[in-house]
Amino acid sequence: MAHPSSPPSSPPAETQASAPGEALALLRQIASNIDAMLWSWDPHTGRITYTNPAFEAFWGLSADTLADKPWQWLAHVDLADRERVLNLQTSAQKRSEEYKVIRPQGGNARLNQRALPMYSSSGQLLRVIHLANNITWQLDTSKQLRVEIGRRTDSEAKYRAVVENVSEGILVTAAGRILYANPKALELTSLDEETAKSRPFIEFIHPDDREKVMGNHMKRLRGEAVDNYYQFRVQHSHSATRWLEISAVMFEWQGEPATLNFLTDVTRKRQAEEDMLKALAHERELSELKSRFVAVASHEFRTPLAAILSSVELLDAYGPSFPASERRELLGQIKTAVARMNSMVEQVLMTSRLELGKFQFEAAPLAVPDWLVQVMGEFERGNPQASRVSLTCDGLDAPRTADQQLLRYIVVNLVGNALKYSHPDTPVQFAVRGEGEQIHLRISDQGIGIPEADLPRLFGSFHRGTNVGNISGTGIGLHIVKECVDLHQGQIEVSSRAGQGTTFTVRLRAPLA
């Protein structure tokens, strides 16, 4: 049996028109509050569509001024680096480059730039996000340190004044151990000087990042090419993790080969990037959801509208000459089509109310067996197939504390789907039993089943099974079921194979009243 589905996090249908704009506004708010330069390039138009304040402050240019000449700022990139940077700008792969620029305000600078391509679920390149950091200070500090370290025997005081007062962490390592750490490095790694020098440096790195850090270190020792900048985590406590960016150069320390490491805290920057990527993914999800809704709505509304139109045209043209029985039949078709459209609208509105938090869990004493008889009686009056349902109830003699409205949505949708997606000659088993502080519902059919590829998206909005054929549906019902189960502090499981039927098992918290 193939069923409609939708992610619990899908947005309400009635807010779909504005949700992508809200996601874009969130993305821009994140971008406006990071120190890195950020801009967005549209590969379809060749234009830069957004620049954040850090970009505009550095270059004196904005997306508006770059509209007709998106690469005019590349004239300030050093000629030796320009071709690499242009390739990076239009890259469809995640990569980075370091290059020299002459600032419009004067003076040289060094930038480290990363390209982050964003793809749709179908693999289409949507946009490329670029992030650039001004790393001039690191080059200046490195140059100054080399000079001061070279003169250490002559000017110990000047050396300490440089390294102990810079705002970045500085580590000197050799043979896997820390030989020197300035105060900022100790702060960033949450170590004291004695501890830092007593254990191998790799022990202070998050276990998941040790292989990467050690691999880069070994490549550098062998003289192989290695990223100048990369990030890793240090564990400050059992719950707190800090992201550091490291750049390293080989040099001599007290006559022996050693590594000079610069450490920068990029925790906030990393979080901002992750938030930005989530906002972009959410924007893409909303766009795809809107497309699915339009496709489903246009298809599912077309059939009842056609039935209404044809019935009205017949009544208009030949109504007076029709026998009363035929007029009643046509009016019945109109009522059925209107009821079908009304049901679809109600499902969409129900999804919206659930997403907006307008439904609350409101438990009250409920005599489950009596209530089930009432619900199945309503089914029999509205669905001629309801006689196929075999209902059993066990262990529910005493009233239970449950939300009757949420329970009704769960039962009506699951039993209705079992009838819809199974042959009229096959039975549907509906078993309900009490077990401890829970009630368990099990609905089984012998219908068309759910293809394995559809199971991961079973509860997603406006997504229907690939084997439903001409069976009508909006793809919302199971999303409503999942939301109601979650509100009722329960779990739902499905077992199914294409052509072999489907079983849904729902466990809801419902203690004795």
Side-chain angles (χ1 to χ4, degrees), residues 475-512:
I476 304 175
L478 286 183
H479 172 56
I480 292 174
V481 170
K482 181 64 168 62
E483 292 288 329
C484 291
V485 169
D486 289 344
L487 280 173
H488 212 297
Q489 305 170 52
Q491 303 87 37
I492 182 169
E493 298 173 359
V494 60
S495 173
S496 181
R497 284 189 178 182
Q500 298 184 25
T502 300
T503 297
F504 280 94
T505 303
V506 179
R507 299 177 180 86
L508 303 174
R509 186 176 185 278
L512 293 170

Side-chain angles (χ1 to χ4, degrees), residues 1-7 288-289 292-293 295-301 303 340 344 347 416-417 420-422 448-479:
M1 159 175 143
H3 299 272
S5 56
S6 142
E288 293 173 352
L289 180 62
R292 291 203 304 271
F293 169 72
V296 169
S298 62
H299 178 270
E300 292 301 321
F301 275 83
T303 301
R340 178 177 168 186
M344 288 187 286
Q347 283 193 321
N417 277 353
K420 183 195 300 186
Y421 295 103
S422 60
I448 63 175
I450 305 170
E452 186 176 352
D454 290 324
L455 289 174
R457 302 179 64 185
L458 189 62
F459 299 104
S461 291
F462 308 112
H463 174 76
R464 306 194 67 209
T466 53
N467 63 337
V468 296
N470 294 323
I471 302 174
S472 64
T474 59
I476 304 175
L478 286 183
H479 172 56

Side-chain angles (χ1 to χ4, degrees), residues 212-276:
K212 174 176 67 177
V213 174
M214 182 59 72
N216 278 353
H217 177 64
M218 297 307 295
K219 286 181 180 179
R220 187 175 289 107
L221 289 179
R222 293 193 297 265
E224 298 177 13
V226 64
D227 289 339
N228 289 332
Y229 301 89
Y230 62 93
Q231 298 174 359
F232 63 89
R233 288 162 290 181
V234 290
Q235 197 76 37
H236 271 220
S237 65
H238 292 298
S239 59
T241 300
R242 177 174 285 173
W243 277 96
L244 302 181
E245 185 172 79
I246 187 171
S247 62
V249 293
M250 301 298 297
F251 81 122
E252 254 190 31
W253 174 269
Q254 297 179 347
E256 297 292 334
T259 306
L260 176 62
N261 306 276
F262 293 93
L263 302 179
T264 306
D265 188 344
V266 292
T267 306
R268 291 181 60 187
K269 174 184 169 185
R270 184 101 181 186
Q271 184 61 51
E273 290 180 9
E274 289 177 2
D275 291 344
M276 178 181 66

Side-chain angles (χ1 to χ4, degrees), residues 157-448:
K158 183 182 284 189
Y159 155 74
R160 291 195 175 277
V162 173
V163 297
E164 293 187 2
N165 291 286
V166 294
S167 59
E168 305 302 321
I170 296 174
L171 286 179
V172 176
T173 58
R177 291 190 174 268
I178 297 174
L179 305 180
Y180 171 80
N182 75 338
K184 186 64 177 179
L186 295 174
E187 177 191 334
L188 293 176
T189 54
S190 189
L191 301 172
D192 57 73
E193 188 172 3
E194 182 179 352
T195 302
K197 293 182 177 181
S198 64
R199 290 156 53 195
F201 175 55
I202 199 70
E203 291 186 10
F204 306 128
I205 296 172
H206 192 283
D208 293 343
D209 295 335
R210 289 176 183 175
E211 184 177 351
K212 174 176 67 177
V213 174
M214 182 59 72
N216 278 353
H217 177 64
M218 297 307 295
K219 286 181 180 179
R220 187 175 289 107
L221 289 179
R222 293 193 297 265
E224 298 177 13
V226 64
D227 289 339
N228 289 332
Y229 301 89
Y230 62 93
Q231 298 174 359
F232 63 89
R233 288 162 290 181
V234 290
Q235 197 76 37
H236 271 220
S237 65
H238 292 298
S239 59
T241 300
R242 177 174 285 173
W243 277 96
L244 302 181
E245 185 172 79
I246 187 171
S247 62
V249 293
M250 301 298 297
F251 81 122
E252 254 190 31
W253 174 269
Q254 297 179 347
E256 297 292 334
T259 306
L260 176 62
N261 306 276
F262 293 93
L263 302 179
T264 306
D265 188 344
V266 292
T267 306
R268 291 181 60 187
K269 174 184 169 185
R270 184 101 181 186
Q271 184 61 51
E273 290 180 9
E274 289 177 2
D275 291 344
M276 178 181 66
L277 293 175
K278 287 178 182 177
L280 285 168
H282 186 52
E283 179 188 353
R284 182 181 65 191
E285 179 185 336
L286 292 178
S287 178
E288 293 173 352
L289 180 62
K290 182 178 179 181
S291 298
R292 291 203 304 271
F293 169 72
V294 171
V296 169
S298 62
H299 178 270
E300 292 301 321
F301 275 83
R302 187 178 293 120
T303 301
L305 283 173
I308 292 171
L309 179 60
S310 63
S311 298
V312 169
E313 287 176 342
L314 286 171
L315 287 172
D316 183 48
Y318 308 107
S321 62
F322 278 172
S325 60
E326 291 189 18
R327 286 200 301 271
R328 283 195 298 272
E329 182 180 350
L330 288 172
L331 289 173
Q333 290 176 2
I334 292 173
K335 290 178 180 178
T336 300
V338 170
R340 178 177 168 186
M341 292 177 65
N342 186 60
S343 174
M344 288 187 286
V345 171
E346 282 297 320
Q347 283 193 321
V348 172
L349 293 177
M350 173 69 175
T351 302
S352 176
R353 290 195 292 269
L354 283 166
E355 296 290 348
L356 291 174
K358 293 183 178 179
F359 271 79
Q360 302 295 327
F361 176 65
E362 297 178 356
L366 179 66
V368 178
D370 295 342
W371 178 82
L372 286 170
V373 170
Q374 176 187 340
V375 171
M376 295 312 298
E378 295 172 3
F379 245 116
E380 289 180 2
R381 288 191 293 273
N383 190 328
Q385 295 289 319
S387 59
R388 292 197 285 128
V389 180
S390 173
L391 173 64
T392 60
C393 191
D394 184 41
L396 291 166
D397 296 333
R400 295 280 179 149
T401 301
D403 187 313
Q404 183 178 152
Q405 186 178 23
L406 296 177
L407 196 56
R408 180 181 295 273
Y409 282 125
I410 295 168
V411 170
V412 168
N413 274 287
L414 291 180
V415 174
N417 277 353
L419 293 171
K420 183 195 300 186
Y421 295 103
S422 60
H423 193 273
D425 295 332
T426 59
V428 171
Q429 305 293 333
F430 181 20
V432 185
R433 77 174 191 275
E435 189 167 308
E437 291 197 341
Q438 291 186 331
I439 55 174
H440 294 186
L441 295 84
R442 182 182 175 89
I443 299 96
S444 300
D445 64 65
Q446 299 174 18
I448 63 175

Side-chain angles (χ1 to χ4, degrees), residues 34-104:
I34 61 176
D35 295 330
M37 292 169 257
L38 181 146
W39 61 102
S40 176
W41 177 67
D42 185 342
H44 306 291
T45 63
R47 293 192 169 198
I48 291 177
T49 57
Y50 174 74
T51 53
N52 76 338
F55 179 97
E56 294 166 10
F58 184 88
W59 291 108
L61 297 167
S62 66
D64 292 335
T65 57
L66 291 169
D68 297 325
K69 297 180 180 180
W71 309 128
Q72 59 180 291
W73 58 276
L74 287 177
H76 296 282
V77 176
D78 188 274
L79 188 59
D81 298 328
R82 201 169 298 171
E83 185 176 353
R84 286 190 300 110
V85 177
L86 182 57
N87 289 336
L88 178 66
Q89 291 300 131
T90 57
S91 175
Q93 295 181 337
K94 186 176 180 181
R95 46 181 289 216
S96 64
E97 292 286 357
E98 182 181 315
Y99 55 90
K100 179 181 177 183
V101 300
I102 301 173
R103 300 188 63 170

Side-chain angles (χ1 to χ4, degrees), residues 94-166:
K94 186 176 180 181
R95 46 181 289 216
S96 64
E97 292 286 357
E98 182 181 315
Y99 55 90
K100 179 181 177 183
V101 300
I102 301 173
R103 300 188 63 170
Q105 304 93 327
N108 296 332
R110 191 95 182 162
L111 301 184
N112 179 259
Q113 179 181 333
R114 281 183 290 164
L116 301 171
M118 308 304 300
Y119 293 92
S120 69
S121 57
S122 61
Q124 180 187 10
L125 180 63
L126 300 176
R127 60 171 64 84
V128 181
I129 301 296
H130 290 275
L131 285 164
N133 292 288
N134 188 343
I135 59 170
T136 310
W137 65 267
Q138 292 188 354
L139 299 177
D140 292 344
T141 304
S142 177
K143 182 178 178 181
Q144 191 174 2
L145 277 176
R146 287 174 183 273
V147 173
E148 294 306 325
I149 290 173
R151 297 176 180 173
R152 184 176 179 216
T153 55
D154 302 324
S155 183
E156 183 75 17
K158 183 182 284 189
Y159 155 74
R160 291 195 175 277
V162 173
V163 297
E164 293 187 2
N165 291 286
V166 294

